[in-house]
Amino acid sequence: MPDALDATPYDALLLLSFGGPEGPDDVVPFLENVTRGRGIPKERLKEVGQHYFLFGGVSPINDQNRALLDALRKDFAEHGLDLPVYWGNRNWAPYLTDTLREMVADGRRRILVLATSAYASYSGCRQYRENLADSLAALEAEGLELPEIDKLRHYFNHPGFLDPMIDGVLASLADLPEDVRAGAHIAFTTHSIPTASADTSGPVETHGEGGAYVEEHLDVAELIAAAVRERTGIDHPWRLVYQSRSGAPQIPWLEPDICDHLEALHGAGAPAVVMAPIGFVSDHMEVLYDLDTEATAKAEGLGLPVRRSATVGDDPRFAAAIRELVLERAAVESGREVTPCALGTLGASHDLCPVGCCPARALRPAAAGADSPYA
């Protein structure tokens, strides 16, 4: 056993995720949680839920989070890091408020949060921080002593996040028929969001066309494409594309959509495509349905060979990256010098979300930021 690692001042890590249904009866209540306040009729939610019903009403995200929890606990134990790991969701059990209540009862007073979203955006960062503030307000109303909460920085350009995706793209290329492999295109995919949300993602100084959201994804795509080129000697054409659009059709969202892109590539004579879902930590419903089902069916209809590369999931390198990020943040909070680990052109993301970062759609308090009422 190596020397014990010190996460002081933190006494717990919270894995914070989206949540998902675990059976057919859960689907509509889960979607009601996700869309609460938007006035969407139950019949419409049943239509939306068909994606889940195709998979028995079960989202894979909860089992994937359980696997990541196991990987984190195993890595921490093997490296002598005595830091308990908890799990809470925004939209399904285990609910965030219940988990924070449990952590308070266990005596946890300084908590680090790992969100299962690697990039800057309202839905991928600020909204999680708003949920944390809502839960803290609920505990405060119960008269409980509130813990101090910090959120780990965005990890999109940490090698422990990038390396598994690089290997996934290489494996998918190798799985293509040999006669189309060298000319294959790479479609790096991420969740589409409204262009207005993208334009205001990240700190104020990054606001503009696409904001930090697009900039960070492009940096990751370039890093992966360069690594593939270095290992194969082939410069595969690539593009950042989008998937899983929702919302009113008159509102502009990031484009092109993956299915439209596949059709355009086929029309341009591309021999094959690897779809690389760099915007997703694990193979949850957007990956299983929008890529493995819908986009793959589109490619098959075009006669276009396509493969989908793996997400990071519970890869040991990702668990190790989280350990490194925990120790990095602990060092910063303890006043020790540390060199953040980050690849690409953008450098390490901020530790504390500044005022104006990924602004809310409506004015709501958010924890773990410079504007937090729970500082």
Side-chain angles (χ1 to χ4, degrees):
M1 177 69 68
D3 293 337
L5 300 175
D6 186 8
T8 304
Y10 298 106
D11 54 18
L13 176 69
L14 169 62
L15 174 65
L16 177 55
S17 194
F18 193 81
E22 301 206 69
D25 292 341
D26 296 343
V27 173
V28 171
F30 162 74
L31 292 173
E32 287 175 333
N33 287 343
V34 174
T35 61
R36 181 167 286 115
R38 301 183 200 173
I40 299 176
K42 182 171 286 190
E43 291 307 311
R44 174 57 181 153
L45 295 180
K46 289 180 180 177
E47 293 176 19
V48 174
Q50 292 305 313
H51 294 180
Y52 291 95
F53 293 129
L54 287 173
F55 297 90
V58 178
S59 168
I61 193 170
N62 285 340
D63 278 344
Q64 289 161 4
N65 280 324
R66 292 182 183 103
L68 179 56
L69 281 171
D70 289 343
L72 290 170
R73 289 165 177 159
K74 181 175 184 288
D75 178 272
F76 288 6
E78 288 177 348
H79 291 84
L81 177 57
D82 183 16
L83 190 70
V85 186
Y86 294 75
W87 170 35
N89 289 324
R90 286 170 44 185
N91 299 299
W92 202 248
Y95 288 103
L96 172 59
T97 302
D98 295 336
T99 299
L100 282 177
R101 188 182 295 111
E102 176 190 358
M103 297 176 81
V104 169
D106 289 346
R108 311 304 176 193
R109 295 294 177 263
R110 193 76 190 273
I111 298 169
L112 258 179
V113 173
L114 162 65
T116 54
S117 176
Y119 302 86
S121 72
Y122 171 77
S123 57
C125 183
R126 172 87 191 192
Q127 194 169 16
Y128 282 100
R129 294 176 49 226
E130 290 175 354
N131 296 142
L132 284 165
D134 291 343
S135 293
L136 289 171
L139 298 187
E140 187 175 41
E142 296 171 12
L144 298 178
E145 181 180 353
L146 298 186
E148 185 175 346
I149 293 180
D150 292 323
K151 180 178 174 291
L152 286 174
R153 66 176 173 88
H154 301 301
Y155 45 83
F156 63 92
N157 56 4
H158 193 288
F161 185 66
L162 288 163
D163 288 345
M165 292 192 292
I166 292 167
D167 288 348
V169 172
L170 290 168
S172 292
L173 286 168
D175 191 48
L176 284 168
E178 188 174 358
D179 61 330
V180 299
R181 188 179 305 152
H185 287 235
I186 305 173
F188 294 106
T189 76
T190 190
H191 209 300
S192 184
I193 61 175
T195 56
S197 180
D199 293 348
T200 56
S201 57
V204 172
E205 61 269 20
T206 66
H207 293 180
E209 187 175 357
Y213 186 74
V214 172
E215 183 181 43
E216 290 170 2
H217 280 88
L218 286 173
D219 207 41
V220 168
E222 289 170 354
L223 285 163
I224 295 174
V228 170
R229 181 171 59 248
E230 181 178 349
R231 295 212 213 163
T232 65
I234 299 172
D235 191 8
H236 290 274
W238 64 268
R239 185 170 182 179
L240 176 64
V241 300
Y242 303 92
Q243 62 173 89
S244 312
R245 178 194 166 128
S246 60
Q250 69 270 20
I251 298 175
W253 284 54
L254 293 174
E255 296 177 336
D257 176 78
I258 177 62
C259 289
D260 294 339
H261 183 59
L262 291 174
E263 190 165 354
L265 286 179
H266 176 257
V273 179
V274 167
M275 300 183 295
I278 60 173
F280 305 91
V281 171
S282 64
D283 289 5
H284 52 66
M285 188 57 68
E286 282 86 350
V287 176
L288 288 188
Y289 182 80
D290 295 336
L291 293 184
D292 292 356
T293 304
E294 191 174 48
T296 298
K298 177 70 172 182
E300 289 174 352
L302 294 168
L304 179 65
V306 67
R307 298 291 185 272
R308 195 268 292 173
S309 66
T311 52
V312 172
D314 61 343
D315 190 289
R317 291 169 291 184
F318 183 46
I322 300 307
R323 168 174 39 86
E324 291 172 9
L325 288 168
V326 166
L327 295 173
E328 173 194 301
R329 185 60 181 274
V332 169
E333 294 299 312
S334 299
R336 304 192 302 272
E337 286 193 16
V338 62
T339 301
C341 185
L343 302 178
T345 61
L346 300 180
S349 184
H350 47 264
D351 283 323
L352 189 69
C353 291
V355 175
C357 188
C358 303
R361 299 165 185 171
L363 188 60
R364 287 180 59 190
D371 56 355
S372 172
Y374 299 102

